[in-house]
Amino acid sequence: MDSYIMIGFSVFLGAIFVGGAILTSKLLAFYTPAGQRKVQPYECSEEPIGDARIRFKVAFYIFALLFLLFDIESLLLFPCMKIFRAVVTDQAGGIGTSVLFAELFVFIFILFFGFIYAWRKGVLVWE
Amino acid sequence: MNQLPTNHAFPTHNAIGELIRHLFPGGAVYINGFLTIASLLLLVSILPVFLIWLERKVAAHFQARLGPMRVGYHGLLQSTADGLKLIFKEVLKPEGADTFVFFLAPTLPATATFLVMTILPFDRHLQVADPAGGVVYALGVSSLSILGILLAGWASNNKYSLLGAMRSGAQMISFEISLALIMLLIVMLTGTASLREIVLSQNGTILDWWIFKLPFLGLIAFVMYMISSTAELNRAPFDISEAESELTGGFATEYSGISFAMFFFAEFVNMFVSAGLATTFFLGGFLAPQIGIGAIDAAFNFIPGFIWFFLKTFLVIFLYMWFRWTFPRVRVDQLMYLEWKMLLPANLVLLMSSGFFLAMGWIL
């Protein structure tokens, strides 16, 4: 618990540090009045065409979905992996090797086949 | 030594620490922690300045140039001067940008990298916090920088920024998976997720470091870690988000002054954090390299742990810089191919084979 209190302090001090840097710059920097040209978004010295909130490739979305799947998988595997060593060396009381292996097997293989399915469907091709 | 509190702040075992302990028996842990955070803030403000200078020097010498030479001894004060210049510059907000998000975005990566630094074990007792789930914490908090980059790209109202941010978001989330799987491997091997205990699990000779310990698997894992962390850092050869010839400045196109400095500050501190994690996981962290010869081992042990930590970390940082000037930039589709069709399956195989090795008792 002590650790998380210290991390809380760090969040506080880190935010003050970053905020302080920005505030210092705000106080020291030279500001000139902004004309219409000055605040234009950069587009290779041309007049910007339309808004920048455009539609983009759907592939980004699919990869984000896949990422979510794998990231959650790895997160859920962390507790399993933490006790893995203790279990295989018979130091964890009560948990048998076969139980752990069966769980890991089912978990990883469902994911693995999902991955292969995505691969076969051609999701992983970036054009 | 075994009765340490969960927080191993550094002055606990010297005169100042004893004095603090004597004066405030209950709050000593917090005072020590506070002092450690303060010194960490000092480190964080010096590091990027030094690393930018180092990067420019290394780059120059790889290309048979001298690099910055004018400001200070061999240009040592060059990046300080650059930083000061950036503080005095105006922060421009482009037309149509989302004000709140635009100014929020640069602060996220900077704070996130600092938060990961708090759990790095610099020495036996030089660590702000040592949560039991340190690895998971590092993984979670470092993801905040991706958020900062995506927000920056979206808020800037600039097409280059949006494309750059989207690309680097896709790249970073992809390589985050391999990073997570390698951390999973380390957690499986050590049986603990606390960074300090991971370092202590490598106690012994140099052959007990995880990079050498497993028959070849440790080395493979280290190489994979280096590839995926380079991509995670958006550094060359994986710097497609900042490919100047295609995307101008990537997500940072519209940023100027201190906001721009924040992004680069975060980038360089992030490099240190990644190198520090590599040191912790694979290179024995703060432990002195022991080669089994009594006199040399004693001499190495005499050098404080944090010096070893910094030496190893800067070695890894030099590797990152070396990569940058050795490999040509990859295309975005090659990058995705590398992660999803090569690194990820290889990672899963590595994880399963290590589990098999461990279950058969072939490790240790």
Side-chain angles (χ1 to χ4, degrees):
Chain A
M1 201 56 226
D2 277 349
S3 295
Y4 291 102
I5 294 173
M6 289 328 291
I7 288 170
F9 278 146
S10 313
V11 176
F12 182 63
L13 285 177
I16 285 182
F17 181 72
V18 172
I22 290 172
L23 194 70
T24 315
S25 165
K26 259 278 187 288
L27 292 175
L28 291 177
F30 304 108
Y31 278 81
T32 52
Q36 199 223 326
R37 288 294 159 100
K38 190 176 169 184
V39 294
Q40 242 173 22
Y42 173 77
E43 209 166 300
C44 291
S45 305
E46 296 283 333
E47 295 273 342
I49 301 165
D51 197 61
R53 278 68 185 252
I54 45 175
R55 292 183 185 180
F56 47 84
K57 229 173 133 89
V58 72
F60 287 114
Y61 180 70
I62 294 168
F63 274 98
L65 273 181
L66 275 176
F67 159 73
L68 214 60
L69 211 67
F70 274 91
D71 213 39
I72 289 171
E73 176 228 1
S74 57
L75 206 60
L76 290 176
L77 275 178
F78 264 108
C80 236
M81 289 306 181
K82 191 174 182 301
I83 59 164
F84 188 87
R85 194 183 185 113
V87 169
V88 293
T89 51
D90 270 339
Q91 282 160 357
I95 306 169
T97 320
S98 49
V99 178
L100 184 78
F101 272 25
E103 281 176 358
L104 278 178
F105 187 83
V106 170
F107 197 77
I108 291 180
F109 271 75
I110 287 175
L111 209 100
F112 202 70
F113 283 121
F115 177 64
I116 289 172
Y117 175 74
W119 193 329
R120 286 296 299 272
K121 277 281 175 183
V123 170
L124 303 180
V125 179
W126 190 282
E127 287 149 16
Chain B
M1 290 286 269
N2 295 327
Q3 299 302 311
L4 276 173
T6 42
N7 175 0
H8 319 278
F10 83 107
T12 327
H13 290 272
N14 59 28
I16 305 168
E18 288 305 318
L19 185 71
I20 291 172
R21 226 183 223 179
H22 184 70
L23 292 176
F24 312 97
V29 172
Y30 301 112
I31 292 170
N32 288 335
F34 234 93
L35 286 176
T36 320
I37 296 173
S39 45
L40 208 61
L41 278 174
L42 192 70
L43 178 71
V44 157
S45 40
I46 294 171
L47 251 182
V49 172
F50 178 69
L51 282 177
I52 289 169
W53 173 80
L54 193 71
E55 170 101 56
R56 293 181 67 176
K57 272 300 193 193
V58 169
H61 284 280
F62 267 110
Q63 299 171 342
R65 292 185 285 121
L66 283 175
M69 286 297 280
R70 301 278 176 188
V71 192
Y73 177 74
H74 277 251
L76 253 176
L77 295 175
Q78 179 68 53
S79 35
T80 316
D82 290 345
L84 278 178
K85 191 200 77 177
L86 280 174
I87 286 180
F88 285 105
K89 290 288 175 188
E90 186 174 353
V91 181
L92 268 181
K93 184 180 78 70
E95 204 175 14
D98 187 326
T99 314
F100 176 67
V101 179
F102 186 78
F103 290 112
L104 174 75
T107 62
L108 281 179
T111 322
T113 46
F114 175 67
L115 285 182
V116 187
M117 264 188 108
T118 55
I119 60 158
L120 280 186
F122 289 96
D123 203 343
R124 254 167 236 275
H125 308 296
L126 184 59
Q127 188 178 12
V128 175
D130 185 32
V135 178
V136 186
Y137 169 84
L139 211 58
V141 173
S142 60
S143 308
L144 273 179
S145 7
I146 304 176
L147 204 62
I149 285 172
L150 282 175
L151 287 181
W154 184 254
S156 292
N157 192 26
N158 182 317
K159 295 175 188 90
Y160 294 117
S161 298
L162 183 72
L163 288 175
M166 279 301 162
R167 275 191 186 187
S168 66
Q171 172 187 350
M172 284 165 94
I173 58 171
S174 299
F175 280 86
E176 179 122 339
I177 297 167
S178 338
L179 220 53
L181 287 177
I182 291 164
M183 289 182 184
L184 212 54
L185 174 73
I186 294 291
V187 170
M188 180 172 81
L189 293 173
T190 54
T192 170
S194 131
L195 291 188
R196 184 167 183 271
E197 279 165 32
I198 287 176
V199 173
L200 290 177
S201 74
Q202 305 173 56
N203 208 354
T205 60
I206 200 165
L207 290 176
D208 283 318
W209 295 356
W210 287 115
I211 182 172
F212 298 123
K213 204 169 189 177
L214 303 164
F216 296 110
L217 293 184
L219 198 61
I220 295 171
F222 180 70
V223 171
M224 281 180 173
Y225 180 89
M226 288 307 284
I227 294 172
S228 32
S229 61
T230 312
E232 181 80 6
L233 290 171
N234 275 330
R235 281 182 64 82
F238 305 113
D239 61 342
I240 49 157
S241 66
E242 286 157 33
E244 303 91 351
S245 45
E246 301 160 28
L247 283 171
T248 325
F251 61 88
T253 305
E254 287 297 346
Y255 280 89
S256 55
I258 191 78
S259 299
F260 178 77
M262 279 293 160
F263 275 120
F264 279 79
F265 169 91
E267 191 165 296
F268 280 91
V269 178
N270 224 338
M271 187 160 86
F272 178 83
V273 167
S274 279
L277 286 177
T279 307
T280 308
F281 292 151
F282 295 103
L283 301 175
F286 50 74
L287 299 170
Q290 304 284 288
I291 48 175
I293 304 167
I296 297 174
D297 285 357
F300 278 174
N301 268 328
F302 185 70
I303 299 171
F306 67 92
I307 291 183
W308 283 118
F309 181 84
F310 277 101
L311 272 178
K312 291 170 186 172
T313 307
F314 275 97
L315 188 77
V316 178
I317 287 176
F318 180 71
L319 270 180
Y320 284 137
M321 291 177 178
W322 196 350
F323 290 164
R324 179 167 182 174
W325 300 106
T326 308
F327 302 117
R329 182 185 292 146
V330 299
R331 274 201 323 263
V332 61
D333 59 321
Q334 291 168 335
L335 189 92
M336 288 304 189
Y337 179 83
L338 174 71
E339 162 59 24
W340 289 95
K341 295 193 176 169
M342 294 174 78
L343 270 183
L344 186 59
N347 248 320
L348 288 173
V349 171
L350 184 72
L351 198 65
M352 285 192 266
S353 53
S354 303
F356 180 66
F357 274 35
L358 205 60
M360 299 301 281
W362 292 345
I363 294 165
L364 284 181

